Amino acid sequence: MTFDEVFEKLKTKFPDAILAKEETKPDPAVKIEPSKIKEILAFMRDELKFETLGCISGVDYPKIPALCVVYHPTSYTHKTIVALKAYLPRTEEPSIPTVTDLFKGANWLERETYDMFGIRFTGHPDHRRILCPEDWVGYPLRKDFKSPDYYNGMPVPLYFAEEEKTDTGGHA
Amino acid sequence: MLSQDSLVMTSVDEVLSWGRKNSLWPLTFGLACCAIEMMATGAADYDLERFGCGVFRATPRQSDLMIVAGTVTLKMASRIRTLYDQMPDPKWVISMGSCANKGGPYWHEGYHVLKGVDRVIPVDVYVPGCPPRPETLIEAVMMLQKKIRVTQNTLGIFEPRKHA
């Protein structure tokens, strides 16, 4: 099954939730309605034989502006990977329904997406940061993220901006 | 050859430092790819045990050498400090690789990397390299042994180390 056949089947099944086909190179993507992600993935898993969820990742588009969650349902039967893109408003903590009840592996992927982009997954069983420390402020992969000057009393930058850039032997 | 009832004159300091330098017990502690090289150094080909430094301990309470092998993230830095504080005196630290020395490739853009482990614990020997070859780590251990050899400590009374 090619991408276009999958898209047609999705469009027939969900005329409202499938918004557009993005003709990006090298792989096209399906733009979907974020609130319908669970229904779409359940249909793809059960009817279209997309057995596994390859990846959940996030993208920050400051110019649109939008935060995007990208799902990669993968089919071993058809040897096909389809990208689903759900655009969310670029607010402090936008939210999208979790898919952990469909794919167990989505648990950590969603936690990572939350950790890096601050996208909330409503209904997630264990909604915590996964890589950054629990008391970390901000979401590092957002384009406007500024790394802190100090974390727990430890200086973070190698040199502070106002300092002359000379080697101080590690003690900035 | 010394006969059976002969005497050797030395100082207590000499004997203690000689014993310490030849029985360094490192902490089993690897953070990133440098740890692979550290394991290679401890394994048969390079055999760190030849220098009395191969008994990698699984607890900081039995170790007197910490080899910081790898990238020190901010999340790990406070743990490193805890491990260092748990080691009994006298203790030494080898900072292995560019990341532990100065942040390595994350020196500018790395928001989560501590720019040098010497920001949280005092370091005795810095080993450059990314990662350093096992020979380099052995050289660092031998340099540390030279340093321990000339250290003067009177009978177990140690000056508390000045923490960074």
Side-chain angles (χ1 to χ4, degrees), chain B:
Chain B
M1 283 292 289
L2 298 171
S3 66
Q4 202 172 6
D5 50 357
S6 55
L7 280 173
V8 175
M9 299 294 284
T10 180
S11 69
V12 176
D13 267 2
E14 283 283 315
V15 177
L16 285 180
S17 336
W18 175 81
R20 277 178 196 132
K21 98 176 172 61
N22 287 310
S23 62
L24 279 172
W25 287 7
L27 179 59
T28 311
F29 180 55
L31 295 176
C33 33
C34 279
I36 309 281
E37 298 296 306
M38 185 178 71
M39 286 182 260
T41 316
D45 272 14
Y46 293 94
D47 198 10
L48 200 57
E49 188 61 78
R50 290 177 293 164
F51 307 97
C53 187
V55 196
F56 282 88
R57 307 309 294 180
T59 163
R61 295 174 204 284
Q62 297 173 356
S63 328
D64 39 25
L65 170 63
M66 175 188 267
I67 303 176
V68 184
T71 316
V72 184
T73 57
L74 293 170
K75 197 177 181 180
M76 192 66 197
S78 52
R79 276 84 163 166
I80 287 183
R81 180 70 216 196
T82 308
L83 289 171
Y84 179 79
D85 288 341
Q86 285 173 339
M87 286 163 61
D89 276 326
K91 51 193 170 186
W92 295 277
V93 176
I94 290 178
S95 163
M96 181 184 180
S98 299
C99 295
N101 290 344
K102 200 67 178 170
Y106 317 101
W107 69 279
H108 187 246
E109 301 291 338
Y111 59 91
H112 67 300
V113 175
L114 189 71
K115 309 296 187 296
V117 74
D118 51 8
R119 287 186 175 185
V120 287
I121 56 175
V123 175
D124 292 286
V125 182
Y126 296 86
V127 191
C130 187
R133 293 269 313 166
E135 294 94 330
T136 328
L137 183 58
I138 291 175
E139 171 77 17
V141 169
M142 290 166 77
M143 279 176 70
L144 181 64
Q145 287 179 329
K146 278 181 199 160
K147 180 177 178 176
I148 299 169
R149 185 82 174 81
V150 299
T151 307
Q152 299 287 311
N153 282 314
T154 308
L155 202 56
I157 302 167
F158 296 103
E159 288 286 315
R161 293 178 66 118
K162 297 285 181 287
H163 295 309

Side-chain angles (χ1 to χ4, degrees), chain A residues 108-119:
Chain A
W108 282 20
L109 298 171
E110 290 183 348
R111 279 177 67 188
E112 189 184 354
T113 313
Y114 165 68
D115 195 359
M116 293 294 141
F117 292 95
I119 297 162

Side-chain angles (χ1 to χ4, degrees), chain A residues 142-164:
Chain A
R142 287 201 187 187
K143 294 291 180 193
D144 52 0
F145 174 78
K146 291 274 183 292
S147 72
D149 280 350
Y150 287 91
Y151 172 73
N152 277 353
M154 294 175 283
V156 177
L158 186 54
Y159 309 106
F160 286 99
E162 64 271 20
E163 279 179 28
E164 194 187 345

